[in-house]
Every structure is written in C-alpha cells, then in structure tokens.
DNA sequence: GATATATTAGAATATATATTCTAATACTTC
DNA sequence: GAAGTATTAGAATATATATTCTAATATATC
C-alpha cells in the first residue's frame, strides 16, 4: 500500500477548487494549490499528470455535480410552472457549493478544460455538454411542442436567466434567498409570454 | 514625429480584443497579440508597459463602450416597461460588438484587470463599477420606490437576466434577434411580479 | 538635405513556474 | 519484523513567455 496520502483525491480537488474560485484559472498554479492543500508540489504529480489535468478535474467535478442536480430537477418537471421552479436549481447549487458555482459560472469552460488537457478529460466535458443539449431538446419537446424556437427558449429560460441572476452576486457573495422569486417569475414569463 | 506606427492605438486594442475573445485572457500572450495585430513584440512595449496593462486596456475599452450605451439607455427609462426595453442594450451590444461582449460576459473582470495592472487602470475599473452601482441605485429609487430590495432586483433584472440570456450564445455565436422578446418579458416579470 | 525621434524588427535575456528527480518515510502484507 | 511500495518532501531542472536591448528605418522639422 505504501505511505498514506495526506488528503483523499476528493479533498484535494476540493482544496484546489477553492483556490480556482478565489484566484481564477490563470493564477491557479501548482505552487498555489500545493500551499492551499498542504501537500508538496511533487505529490500533485503522483495524482495527476499535469496542471492542465488538474484544472480539468476541478471543472469536471463541479460540472458533474451541477449537471446531476439540474437534470434530476428538469426531468421531474412536467409543466411550465414546474420547470420554472426547477430552474431554481442554479441558485440553490450556488448557495450549497459556492466555489464550484464560481468555477462554472464566472469562467468559460475552455479556461479549465484546455486544448492541452488529457484526451480523457476533454471527452468527459464533451459528453456532459451533449447530455445537457439532449435534455434541453427533450424538455422543449415536452413543454413547448410545436414551437420552432422551443429549444432556444428553454436554454435561455432554464439555464441563461438563472445563471445571469446568480452571477450578479458571485464570486463575492452567495445569492440571497429572495432572488428565487424574481428568477421564477422571469423564467415563467420567458417560457409563456 | 518619428516613424509612423503600423496601427493606431484603437486598432491595436481592437486586434488584441479579438485574440482575447478567441483565446481567453490566460492565452492572450504578447506573442499571440503581436502576431494577430501584425506588429513586432517590442513595439507593444512602446505602447504599454506590460502584459497586465494590455489586458486591462482590452477590458476597459469594452467596459467603457458598454457602460456608455447602458447608462444612456437606462437614464431615459422612466417606467418599468421602458426599463425592460432598455435592458435589451446587452443583447444589442453583443450583436454590434461581439468580441468585446465576450470579453465582458464570459470572464471575470479580475482576469483582465489584475492585481498587477497599473494603478491608473485599476482605478478606472473601480470608477466604472461605482458609476454602475450609482446608476442602479438611481433607477431603483425611480422605478421601485419603497422596495427595500429595489436595488438588488434592478441589478438582477437589468444586468443579470440579459447577461445570462446572451451568454447562452457567446462566444461561438451572436445572440439571435428573437431572444429579445424573451428577455424583455423576463425582465418585466422580474420587476413587477 | 541634415537632424532628431518614434517606431519597426527581432534577437537576447530574465523570470516565473511547470515538471522531474532523489531521498526519506510511513504504511501494508507476508 | 522484514520487504515492498506509495507518498511525502523539497531541491533541481526545463520550459514557456514576458521583457529588454541593439540596430535599422521612416517620417517631421529646421
């Protein structure tokens, strides 16, 4: 087995996520993560092959978690009203997982999953995007049948609007509870105006 | 006078903005900008003291332009309905100035105006933020008098929602004309639900 | 037309930081 | 308790790229 690691892989990625949320991807250096997590720089290369792999892991951990919550919420929504409520998943996620929300919300995916990330990580990111697009198509067919702009409107309403509302508060603060009513009203209006 | 520059300062910043929109701030190297603008690397240091100054110039040029448009639009809005129409300034800006919209919309300000940017640039960014906050306060007092959450709702509705809606399409595409009706309906609902 | 000057041009250097390497260490299994 | 191994630990090296430097060049002014 060998000497035990100071941190589990999950705890290590969580520590790295805090650094990424605070400093942004460009300043998320191996030295900064090493210091914040309390592990030597060399040890990081026992876990991961490169800095690009680390940045990708940070993003994928956040995206996996958000997407699981979001797809579950949307899958259960069988009416426009239910979908507007499900859209609150974005602000709820931001309250529960602030650093991961900052990573997902305040940066482009490409800043974390770069062209130099390992092929495996790139593919996971592509797969997540495809799954999300597929879910949007399903919801559009269910809630806005016959609307040629259905998919676009679903994306704007269920993803774009909540994202933008939350972003007003990130990264400094957590989005206040009260904005959920504003978001729900806005999403509803975008879906049925 | 000396030898004339290949590019005006504005054209140079415009070329750098295209690079920043395409590659993101982290990959906006002096070499990449130099190649894209067609000016030698050394010349860049005749114009600006450092890469951090260049990134700040890119962001400030975009922010100056957007803020001028936005404040003008909001200043003229004397009703909630007019404000909802004025909120379309965000999508209109994205159609007219795609690269600058990507810079402003898809990244955190701190990635462009870093801690190492010249003091003068940092101050300009702070001043812009203060002006915007002041404008939001004014609009809240005018359109939602007596609402203790007025300022927060104005920020979510007039900035957050349009930003998020546009972001669904950036950076790959320009936001389609048709989403403006969705945005207007959503903003209106967020302001008067 | 000569002089001064700002810029071009790109090579040389400096610097930051990603990655590798050597040795020591703490656990598991036999 | 001995052997094997994964990790700690951090110094050494490599690499990328920001910055500086030297020389040449094109324009304006006198």
């Amino acid at each position: 087995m060998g000497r035990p690691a100071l941190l589990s892989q999950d705890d290590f990625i969580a520590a790295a996520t805090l650094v990424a949320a605070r400093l942004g991807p460009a300043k998320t250096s191996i030295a900064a993560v090493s210091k914040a997590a309390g592990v030597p720089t060399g040890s990081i290369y026992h876990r991961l092959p490169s800095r690009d792999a680390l940045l990708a892991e940070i993003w994928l951990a956040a995206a996996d978690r958000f997407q699981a919550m979001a797809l579950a919420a949307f899958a259960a929504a069988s009416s426009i009203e239910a979908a507007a409520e499900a859209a609150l998943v974005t602000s709820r996620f931001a309250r529960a997982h602030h650093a991961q929300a900052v990573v997902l919300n305040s940066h482009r995916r490409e800043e974390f999953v770069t062209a130099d990330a390992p092929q495996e990580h790139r593919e996971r990111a592509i797969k997540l995007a495809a799954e999300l697009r597929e879910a949007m198509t399903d919801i559009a067919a269910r809630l806005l049948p016959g609307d040629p702009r259905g998919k676009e409107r679903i994306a704007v309403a269920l993803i774009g609007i909540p994202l933008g509302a939350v972003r007003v508060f990130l990264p400094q603060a957590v989005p206040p509870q009260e904005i959920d009513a504003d978001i729900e009203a806005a999403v509803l209006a975008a879906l049925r105006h």
Side-chain angles (χ1 to χ4, degrees), chain A:
Chain A
M1 277 286 116
R3 182 173 180 169
L6 290 172
L7 255 57
S8 71
Q9 182 76 350
D10 283 357
D11 287 349
F12 171 68
I13 296 298
T17 299
L18 286 176
V19 174
R22 185 147 31 84
L23 305 182
K27 289 269 170 71
T28 299
S29 63
I30 295 291
V33 170
S34 150
K35 190 179 164 193
V39 306
T41 61
S43 297
I44 292 178
Y45 288 90
H46 280 277
R47 300 172 181 269
L48 296 163
S50 68
R51 175 176 177 268
D52 287 281
L54 169 62
L55 290 176
E57 289 276 356
I58 290 170
W59 193 89
L60 287 168
D64 279 342
R65 174 181 254 165
F66 173 72
Q67 192 143 318
M69 277 180 64
L71 294 193
F74 293 146
S78 56
S79 68
I80 285 182
E81 289 72 19
E85 211 281 333
L88 300 180
V89 68
T90 297
S91 50
R92 291 183 180 134
F93 182 85
R95 293 187 195 104
H97 308 290
H98 182 261
Q100 291 191 317
V102 171
V103 164
L104 293 178
N105 196 319
S106 299
H107 302 280
R108 249 198 252 176
R109 172 170 68 90
E110 290 77 15
E111 302 279 314
F112 282 97
V113 185
T114 69
D116 296 328
Q119 184 65 14
E120 173 212 340
H121 293 94
R122 308 263 306 290
E123 283 169 3
R124 279 177 62 197
I126 290 168
K127 195 174 162 194
L128 280 172
E131 270 178 25
L132 186 60
R133 269 198 306 276
E134 195 187 339
M136 293 296 114
T137 306
D138 288 353
I139 298 166
R142 202 162 70 230
L143 301 184
L144 299 175
D147 186 341
R149 290 187 54 245
K151 199 177 165 187
E152 178 177 297
R153 287 178 65 198
I154 288 290
V156 166
L158 300 189
I159 302 288
I161 288 174
L163 196 79
V166 162
R167 195 169 178 207
V168 168
F169 303 94
L170 301 181
Q172 291 84 8
V174 151
Q177 188 66 52
E178 291 77 21
I179 67 163
D180 281 11
D182 302 329
I183 295 172
E184 197 171 342
V187 171
L188 205 53
L191 287 180
R192 70 176 179 198
H193 73 96

